[in-house]
Amino acid sequence: MTSQSYEAKLLVVDDEPNIRELLSTSLRFAGFEVVAAANGREALEAAEAHNPDLAVLDVMLPDMDGFTVTRKLRASGRFFPVVFLTARDETEDKVTGLTVGGDDYVTKPFSLDEVVARIRAVLRRTAPAEDDDAILIVDDLELDDDAHEVRRGGEIIDLSPTEFKLLRYLMMNPNRVLSKAQILDHVWEYDFNGDASIVESYISYLRRKIDVDDRPKMIQTKRGVGYLLRTQDKR
């Protein structure tokens, strides 16, 4: 198999040798190129050296937790998607992960089929758009798919890949109320085990980045219905 035939390059980070080897072997068998790391420091070094397309990152690492690793990655300008491996399915862990730019979660113990499915879903939803709407403009908000940049009032706003996909979906449907089910289906491409709270969390953090200072509030909630991106002329 040549490097060009790999589906994507993955960085697998877990301090447990058995899990790290099992994941690496299984993901290679599924058609991915895999780089492995045993701790946060190795993960940061591997990210710099290999520029992966996605990281599968254990939250509990011996030197620094996975959230800290992700913060350091984002601070260094690396915005590839991150799938966290968590030992507990706790809301607090999910919220923390969203804060630092995580894109999905797999709770231990996990099935290898589930991990592969989650990875492929994240890669699909964070891939560049392949339509004619490479640049979307709604009022003073601009999204450039090719450059993967978002600006409001000319100022660049840093978004994680999934935040970018969520904002794009809202911008493609201005003034239209989108239900949590619609957002889950379009942005996550599966029902996230029925956990609609993931949508609430992403909307909350996206709002904190988009609707800041004295600017008009664009991302609005219709309680009991869903969310919408409100344009100036509809206020």
Side-chain angles (χ1 to χ4, degrees):
M1 179 180 288
T2 64
S3 59
Q4 287 77 18
S5 62
Y6 287 117
E7 188 171 338
K9 183 188 293 183
L10 308 181
L11 171 60
V12 172
V13 187
D14 199 300
D15 63 314
E16 298 182 46
N18 291 340
I19 294 179
R20 187 171 66 249
E21 183 59 31
L22 177 63
L23 273 174
S24 298
T25 301
S26 300
L27 292 171
R28 289 188 182 104
F29 183 78
F32 296 100
E33 182 179 0
V34 177
V35 177
N39 54 50
R41 179 184 56 79
E42 289 184 8
L44 295 172
E45 292 174 352
E48 182 176 356
H50 299 282
N51 193 28
D53 299 304
L54 178 146
V56 180
L57 180 58
D58 190 21
V59 171
M60 300 301 294
L61 295 171
D63 54 347
M64 64 184 89
D65 63 32
F67 303 138
T68 300
V69 174
T70 305
R71 288 189 187 97
K72 289 179 178 292
L73 288 170
R74 302 304 187 229
S76 68
R78 302 188 185 282
F79 294 97
F80 53 78
V82 173
V83 175
F84 285 117
L85 298 177
T86 63
R88 301 165 301 171
D89 189 15
E90 292 190 355
T91 300
E92 183 179 350
D93 284 348
K94 292 183 177 181
V95 171
T96 302
L98 294 177
T99 305
V100 300
D103 294 275
D104 207 342
Y105 301 82
V106 178
T107 304
K108 297 179 179 179
F110 51 78
S111 75
L112 294 171
D113 287 344
E114 179 188 12
V115 175
V116 172
R118 295 287 184 99
I119 288 171
R120 286 182 171 143
V122 170
L123 288 171
R124 282 197 303 272
R125 74 172 183 256
T126 57
E130 297 180 356
D131 54 32
D132 294 332
D133 296 322
I135 297 179
L136 295 174
I137 299 175
V138 177
D139 293 345
D140 63 345
L141 186 62
E142 179 177 331
L143 181 148
D144 187 331
D145 259 318
D146 292 337
H148 199 83
E149 285 185 350
V150 171
R151 298 173 185 267
R152 186 164 188 194
E155 297 180 9
I156 292 181
I157 300 171
D158 290 329
L159 300 181
S160 72
T162 299
E163 288 171 337
F164 189 89
K165 182 75 176 287
L166 173 57
L167 181 61
R168 186 178 190 278
Y169 186 43
L170 293 172
M171 291 181 69
M172 290 182 68
N173 296 275
N175 301 309
R176 175 187 173 194
V177 178
L178 302 170
S179 69
K180 292 178 183 177
Q182 288 175 305
I183 294 172
L184 281 170
D185 182 62
H186 184 88
V187 178
W188 277 266
E189 300 184 11
Y190 59 93
D191 66 6
F192 213 91
N193 295 324
D195 186 2
S197 66
I198 202 77
V199 176
E200 298 171 13
S201 297
Y202 264 99
I203 288 287
S204 175
Y205 287 111
L206 187 59
R207 184 182 281 130
R208 292 183 189 183
K209 294 181 178 182
I210 300 298
D211 293 334
V212 296
D213 303 326
D214 296 326
R215 294 168 175 167
K217 307 306 180 187
M218 299 186 73
I219 301 175
Q220 300 187 8
T221 301
K222 289 291 184 181
R223 298 200 178 279
V225 184
Y227 306 94
L228 76 156
L229 189 77
R230 180 78 73 186
T231 61
Q232 185 69 41
D233 61 339
K234 292 293 184 179
R235 293 191 182 95

